[in-house]
Amino acid sequence: MKLFVGIDVSMKDFKARMFDAEGEEIAKRIRCKNDDPGAESFVKYLVEICGANEVDSLRIGMESTSVYGWHLQMRLAGEPLLASFHPQVYVFNPKVIANFRKQYVDIPKDDWFDCLVIADRLRFGRLPESCQVDFRYLPLQRLTRFRYHLIQTITREKNYFLTNLFLKFNTICQDKVLSDIFGATSEAILTEFLSPEEIAARPLDELIDFLMEKGKSHFSNPEATAKALKHAAACAYRLHGSLLEPLNLILATSLQTIRTLEQQVKSIDKAIEKELSHFPNTLQSMPGMGPVCTAGIIAEIGDIHRFDNEKAVAKFAGLTWRKHQSGEFEADDTPLTKTGNVYLRYYFVMAADSVRKWDPRFAEFYARKFK
């Protein structure tokens, strides 16, 4: 006897419906608060239903709704009272449920029918990798996912900084005068000179000395850089005086935010490296595979033995391409699925880029593909 349980989770509560293999609802639907006592009462209800119906296989499904279902998923996966029913917990990508729902042309859109659709998706089979929780990997996973969040935040902040920089000094963006627009020298130029006019008016010798001081004498040809900077300043758009002070404040604050976030990434990297020491692995034997990429991949894959082959891992990561074929036509260029684990996909891509920089064999292979 298999029991299929569809759960719709929200921030305050969750709803569940239970069906047998024929799609018959065999128990009264239940609604519980999304907290520990609510989860406990739901577990007791499941045990009662399973015992009354001689259930030997329990499959539970829910949608991935931010973090609202995280605690419930952990509880159901590790609950000793449910162990004898061999529970398998599946967390579906909302796109999967939305597409499956299209088969039902006459049902309304509410939480209770969402439970039905999720349970029917479980009954249909061809399920994704079972999301059985391995608690060993959870601390590492929270750290690597937070690092991903920090990197995305830094990227957004840098893009916002560049839009404001273009308003103040458009030509420094266009001409790429400085190799690192977020470096120490660039920061000094943008904060110590109120406007491009001040740079254009500064004598060349003084500007060279300024660049050498702020760049700690790292410029190979400071005179050429100073001339390029003066030329860019002379060609830049002139702003109304009332705009300069707000823009300078925004740029300085944005740079400070970026510096703070970058310091946080360094702290998280140390924590990741410390946590990774609990997981002996062979990934780090590859040239270019540092602790961050290694930790990101291990944290998301968990036990590699739950995958049958490398194709299953690629599908889990969303690193597969849809086939498009009709008659004798088959498309060569098809889109990436991107329906898998976004964190694993990110760390796979970052690791591949790092390895091709360090390993000449992969660098040669990449160059052929790129060409």
Side-chain angles (χ1 to χ4, degrees):
M1 172 65 177
K2 290 183 179 180
L3 181 66
F4 301 91
V5 182
I7 303 177
D8 185 87
V9 185
S10 66
M11 182 173 68
K12 293 184 177 181
D13 60 22
F14 63 90
K15 303 175 180 69
R17 295 177 67 177
M18 284 134 283
F19 301 84
D20 63 15
E22 302 301 322
E24 295 294 329
E25 193 163 12
I26 63 171
K28 185 179 178 181
R29 59 185 67 177
I30 184 172
R31 177 178 180 176
C32 303
K33 286 197 68 176
N34 193 4
D35 56 18
D36 195 61
E40 184 176 356
S41 65
F42 180 60
V43 168
K44 291 179 179 177
Y45 186 68
L46 277 180
V47 171
E48 179 184 336
I49 298 303
C50 290
N53 292 274
E54 299 182 353
V55 171
D56 53 25
S57 178
L58 178 61
R59 290 187 177 180
I60 303 169
M62 62 183 75
E63 282 186 294
S64 176
T65 52
S66 185
V67 296
Y68 298 145
W70 193 83
H71 292 292
L72 183 61
Q73 179 193 354
M74 301 300 112
R75 181 65 179 270
L76 294 174
E79 177 56 57
L81 294 175
L82 297 175
S84 61
F85 307 113
H86 309 100
Q88 289 183 301
V89 182
Y90 295 87
V91 180
F92 292 103
N93 186 314
K95 290 182 180 178
V96 173
I97 300 301
N99 289 329
F100 190 78
R101 185 188 180 85
K102 293 176 182 178
Q103 300 177 80
Y104 303 86
V105 295
D106 58 349
I107 64 172
K109 175 68 176 78
D110 66 23
D111 294 344
W112 292 113
F113 278 100
D114 287 346
C115 295
L116 181 149
V117 174
I118 292 170
D120 273 0
R121 181 64 187 85
L122 286 170
R123 291 196 310 113
F124 180 75
R126 297 185 180 179
L127 298 169
E129 291 300 328
S130 177
C131 297
Q132 297 299 307
V133 180
D134 192 331
F135 293 94
R136 295 174 299 169
Y137 299 97
L138 289 182
L140 189 63
Q141 188 181 87
R142 299 318 301 171
L143 287 170
T144 53
R145 289 189 176 190
F146 181 60
R147 188 188 190 278
Y148 171 87
H149 165 75
L150 288 178
I151 295 299
Q152 300 302 307
T153 305
I154 290 172
T155 301
R156 286 193 296 270
E157 189 62 34
K158 284 185 174 181
N159 287 332
Y160 187 74
F161 172 87
L162 291 173
T163 60
N164 285 286
L165 176 59
F166 187 86
L167 294 178
K168 176 184 176 178
F169 198 165
N170 65 292
T171 48
I172 200 172
C173 299
Q174 296 169 338
D175 300 340
K176 296 181 180 179
V177 177
L178 301 170
S179 59
D180 183 8
I181 204 69
F182 298 99
T185 305
S186 176
E187 181 177 358
I189 291 171
L190 297 174
T191 55
E192 296 188 28
F193 292 101
L194 295 178
S195 66
E197 291 95 315
E198 287 190 19
I199 298 174
R202 181 68 65 96
L204 183 62
D205 290 343
E206 292 185 17
L207 197 56
I208 292 173
D209 292 339
F210 179 87
L211 292 176
M212 290 297 289
E213 177 189 353
K214 301 301 180 182
K216 298 180 180 180
S217 303
H218 288 161
F219 285 98
S220 58
N221 191 344
E223 183 178 355
T225 303
K227 287 180 178 178
L229 185 61
K230 280 180 67 70
H231 176 73
C235 296
Y237 282 114
R238 299 301 186 248
L239 282 176
H240 192 278
S242 60
L243 278 173
L244 285 173
E245 185 175 348
L247 276 176
N248 283 325
L249 177 60
I250 291 170
L251 289 170
T253 305
S254 186
L255 273 175
Q256 186 177 5
T257 302
I258 292 168
R259 297 285 181 264
T260 302
L261 289 169
E262 289 174 339
Q263 286 299 317
Q264 291 175 346
V265 170
K266 290 180 180 179
S267 299
I268 292 297
D269 285 352
K270 291 179 181 178
I272 288 173
E273 190 168 2
K274 180 181 178 181
E275 187 65 30
L276 183 63
S277 64
H278 302 148
F279 300 92
N281 66 87
T282 56
L283 283 175
Q284 286 179 282
S285 64
M286 296 178 65
M289 280 295 291
V292 169
C293 292
T294 300
I297 292 172
I298 289 175
E300 297 303 328
I301 288 180
D303 184 0
I304 191 64
H305 296 100
R306 67 194 183 105
F307 298 96
D308 294 332
N309 50 46
E310 67 274 13
K311 290 183 179 180
V313 178
K315 186 175 181 181
F316 180 68
L319 286 171
T320 56
W321 285 260
R322 291 188 180 92
K323 184 177 181 180
H324 184 75
Q325 179 268 333
S326 179
E328 296 183 358
F329 170 78
E330 184 171 346
D332 292 326
D333 193 10
T334 58
L336 190 67
T337 53
K338 292 187 178 180
T339 55
N341 186 311
V342 64
Y343 303 103
L344 180 57
R345 184 164 63 250
Y346 168 79
Y347 282 110
F348 261 143
V349 173
M350 191 168 76
D353 186 54
S354 179
V355 168
R356 66 102 181 171
K357 292 176 181 177
W358 284 83
D359 192 315
R361 295 169 299 170
F362 284 102
E364 182 185 352
F365 176 78
Y366 174 83
R368 289 203 310 270
K369 289 291 186 181
F370 185 84
K371 183 177 180 180

